[in-house]
């Protein structure tokens, strides 16, 4: 079938013909519910049984900008293939893929309507007690098992080729590692923070550090990354965590995914001054967020070390001290990438609701400046971070 962007009705007709999903003659209803930057998302439901599925269809352009920004449909293949690998490695932590249609750039998958987008949940002030454990394990397992630490030399290189994703990587190269550090047309920031933004544009040392991190993003094919692991790509309940949307997946530096999780928890931390009614509520939620960052890292480190001890076959990777060196370097790199990802959400295209939903302009500006200061310091001070406690201390010591 030739590509066309589905209407709600066309999605229903397609769903009707999918083998083994709905009974013949089912009364199906469809709603387009996509609110992300890139794709169409349809919720399709059998009115009789209540059974539902999700259709995710890539558009040939970036939805957030429109047809003037063409974008490859191959991202639907990347996403469905990444989800299948992640499900094999971490069953239960990603939605099940039921069907993929290359021509229509369409993935049919498990409906997660019982979950909420984590960013939304955090903005509403909800806490997720098993999230740190789940995401720490997800990071450790997906990064370990797709790397040279676990894969056969040939299989690893074939996977690198399978996940060559130049157009989506270019978005990150521009929006995370380039545009926010210049007066670029794509930037979109609150005029009240212009002084702070210009301070970043004029900071030559910062730009040099960002260049190092960008080069790492572009060249360090360490593991199959999710590639866009912010809190809008995670759905949660109090008991469950699901990682969605890996269309930016590619082989890159492990710290980029870890940094994405840390950055988005800290963006919410920075936003708290504008989200909470009282100082006490603000402090209490910030403590929860910092504890979560700490627990994510500790879970990641514990599981990654365990997998290394049990599964690494290459004799060189068992060389004394190499595991410790790797963990230490990873923490510094995760901090650096987290810093870039915080600054891009304040200065560049595609901001985050944590900050954008603060109605009081002055309070929003303060929160945005705090996010910039934390981001800057994570990048500039990353080499001094020897433990997760160091990282948390660095964040806490930044004055509003
Ligand atoms: C044009 S896409 C903008 C952003 O949305 C995605 O979630 C990625 O973070 C990307 O940078
Ligand atoms: Mg996404």
């Amino acid at each position: 079938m030739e590509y066309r962007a589905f209407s709600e009705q066309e999605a229903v007709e397609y769903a009707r013909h999918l083998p083994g999903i709905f009974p013949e003659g089912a009364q199906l209803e469809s709603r387009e519910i996509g609110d992300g930057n890139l794709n169409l998302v349809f919720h399709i439901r059998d009115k009789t049984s209540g059974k539902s599925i999700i259709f995710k269809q890539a558009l040939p352009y970036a939805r957030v900008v429109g047809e003037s920004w063409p974008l490859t449909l191959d991202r639907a293949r990347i996403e469905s293939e990444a989800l299948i690998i992640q499900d094999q490695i971490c069953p239960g932590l990603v939605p099940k893929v039921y069907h993929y249609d290359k021509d229509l750039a369409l993935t049919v998958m498990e409906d997660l309507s019982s979950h909420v987008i984590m960013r939304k949940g955090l903005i509403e002030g909800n806490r997720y007690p098993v999230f740190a454990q789940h995401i720490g394990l997800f990071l450790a397992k997906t990064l370990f098992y797709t790397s040279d630490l676990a894969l056969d030399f040939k299989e690893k290189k074939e996977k690198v080729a399978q996940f060559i994703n130049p157009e989506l990587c270019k978005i990150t190269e521009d929006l995370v590692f380039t545009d926010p550090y210049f007066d670029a047309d794509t930037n979109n920031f609150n005029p009240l923070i212009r002084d702070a933004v210009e301070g970043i544009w004029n900071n030559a040392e910062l730009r040099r550090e960002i260049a190092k991190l960008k080069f790492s993003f572009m060249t360090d094919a360490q593991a199959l990354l999710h590639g866009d692991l912010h809190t809008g790509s995670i759905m949660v309940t109090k008991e469950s965590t699901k990682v969605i949307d890996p269309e930016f997946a590619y082989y890159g530096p492990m710290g980029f995914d870890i940094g994405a999780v840390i950055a988005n928890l800290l963006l919410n931390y920075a936003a708290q001054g504008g989200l909470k009614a009282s100082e006490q509520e603000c402090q209490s939620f910030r403590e929860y967020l910092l504890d979560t960052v700490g627990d994510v890292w500790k879970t990641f480190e514990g599981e990654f070390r365990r997998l290394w001890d049990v599964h690494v076959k290459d004799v060189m990777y068992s060389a004394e001290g190499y595991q410790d060196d790797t963990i230490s370097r990873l923490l510094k790199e995760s901090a650096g990438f987290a810093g870039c990802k915080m600054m891009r959400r304040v200065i560049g295209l595609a901001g985050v609701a944590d900050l954008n939903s603060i109605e009081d302009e002055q309070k929003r500006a303060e929160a945005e400046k705090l996010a910039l200061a934390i981001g800057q310091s994570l990048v500039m001070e990353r080499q001094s971070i020897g433990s997760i406690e160091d990282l948390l201390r660095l964040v806490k010591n930044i004055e509003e």
Side-chain angles (χ1 to χ4, degrees):
M1 194 185 283
E2 205 171 293
Y3 177 85
R4 60 174 192 283
F6 272 171
S7 65
E8 290 178 342
Q9 194 46 41
E10 284 168 322
V12 162
E13 289 316 316
Y14 190 94
R16 217 178 270 299
H17 295 102
L18 281 171
I21 304 249
F22 295 115
E24 220 180 299
Q27 291 251 311
L28 300 182
E29 60 183 7
S30 155
R31 257 179 332 122
E32 204 286 302
I33 55 166
D35 61 356
N37 291 323
L38 300 178
N39 307 294
L40 294 173
V41 181
F42 297 92
H43 181 262
I44 299 178
R45 180 175 168 274
D46 178 343
K47 284 195 230 173
T48 314
S49 67
K51 180 177 178 178
S52 54
I53 54 173
I54 290 291
F55 276 17
K56 180 165 175 183
Q57 187 178 36
L59 288 163
Y61 53 85
R63 183 175 185 166
V64 68
V65 176
E67 293 184 30
S68 63
W69 187 336
L71 204 52
T72 177
L73 294 175
D74 190 46
R75 66 189 195 271
R77 175 191 67 79
I78 295 268
E79 171 161 344
S80 64
E81 291 179 4
L83 280 175
I84 289 166
I85 291 174
Q86 291 163 350
D87 185 50
Q88 284 161 355
I89 297 174
C90 295
L93 289 181
V94 297
K96 285 268 175 222
V97 171
Y98 300 137
H99 176 75
Y100 164 66
D101 185 320
K102 179 178 182 297
D103 297 334
L104 289 168
L106 176 73
T107 308
V108 179
M109 61 183 115
E110 184 182 353
D111 177 24
L112 301 173
S113 298
S114 53
H115 294 60
V116 294
I117 292 287
M118 186 171 184
R119 190 183 304 289
K120 185 167 177 282
L122 289 178
I123 292 170
E124 287 168 2
N126 298 312
R127 300 177 190 217
Y128 298 100
V130 294
F131 163 75
Q133 169 83 359
H134 283 166
I135 209 73
L137 291 178
F138 176 86
L139 288 165
K141 289 182 180 180
T142 57
L143 298 177
F144 179 84
Y145 281 119
T146 62
S147 78
D148 283 295
L149 295 169
L151 289 180
D152 159 78
F153 75 100
K154 193 156 176 273
E155 197 186 352
K156 152 75 189 318
K157 287 160 187 90
E158 285 164 0
K159 282 216 157 39
V160 174
Q162 181 186 349
F163 287 98
I164 293 289
N165 195 358
E167 286 189 38
L168 281 278
C169 284
K170 178 77 168 105
I171 292 179
T172 305
E173 289 153 24
D174 290 344
L175 296 188
V176 178
F177 294 108
T178 308
D179 296 358
Y181 309 99
F182 293 89
D183 188 3
D185 289 344
T186 53
N187 288 336
N188 179 18
F189 58 86
N190 179 353
L192 293 179
I193 63 161
R194 177 160 274 277
D195 283 354
V197 172
E198 286 185 353
I200 284 175
W201 290 345
N202 294 325
N203 188 334
E205 279 177 43
L206 176 68
R207 203 179 284 184
R208 187 177 63 203
E209 294 309 314
I210 303 287
K212 292 178 194 168
L213 290 158
K214 178 175 181 177
F215 195 69
S216 167
F217 177 84
M218 294 182 74
T219 58
D220 289 340
Q222 295 173 355
L224 178 62
L225 305 190
H226 176 283
D228 196 26
L229 195 46
H230 55 81
T231 45
S233 296
I234 301 171
M235 298 185 75
V236 282
T237 67
K238 297 274 180 199
E239 302 85 25
S240 166
T241 308
K242 303 274 185 184
V243 175
I244 62 170
D245 272 6
E247 65 202 308
F248 283 75
Y250 84 113
Y251 261 79
M254 297 183 185
F256 188 74
D257 270 3
I258 305 168
V261 174
I262 295 176
N264 282 272
L265 292 169
L266 294 181
L267 282 163
N268 190 273
Y269 171 100
Q272 283 305 311
L275 293 175
K276 290 285 184 295
S278 77
E279 180 60 26
Q280 199 193 356
E281 282 177 284
C282 170
Q283 283 317 322
S284 155
F285 207 75
R286 280 187 172 162
E287 268 167 42
Y288 157 71
L289 290 165
L290 293 183
D291 287 348
T292 304
V293 170
D295 291 343
V296 169
W297 174 262
K298 285 177 209 154
T299 306
F300 164 78
E301 180 181 344
E303 179 66 4
F304 197 81
R305 283 185 185 277
R306 190 189 69 78
L307 293 172
W308 188 312
D309 291 341
V310 175
H311 295 292
V312 160
K313 289 188 195 77
D314 188 318
V315 63
M316 288 311 293
Y317 299 148
S318 299
E320 202 186 327
Y322 181 55
Q323 187 189 113
D324 288 342
D325 286 355
T326 303
I327 294 288
S328 161
R329 179 181 46 75
L330 249 179
L331 178 61
K332 295 175 192 349
E333 289 172 3
S334 302
F337 286 124
C340 300
K341 284 181 146 288
M342 291 187 76
M343 290 186 274
R344 65 78 56 115
R345 293 295 184 190
V346 178
I347 303 174
L349 186 77
V352 287
D354 311 59
L355 295 165
N356 293 344
S357 63
I358 302 173
E359 279 170 20
D360 182 314
E361 295 252 306
Q362 198 52 49
K363 283 197 169 153
R364 176 148 60 87
E366 278 160 28
E368 289 166 334
K369 282 197 266 186
L370 178 60
L372 287 183
I374 295 172
Q376 223 174 317
S377 147
L378 288 173
V379 170
M380 297 308 292
E381 309 299 327
R382 70 189 186 284
Q383 299 304 347
S384 72
I385 298 175
S387 66
I388 191 66
E389 287 74 25
D390 288 347
L391 186 152
L392 299 175
R393 213 170 300 118
L394 194 126
V395 173
K396 266 190 275 190
N397 286 343
I398 294 170
E399 308 244 324
E400 274 183 86

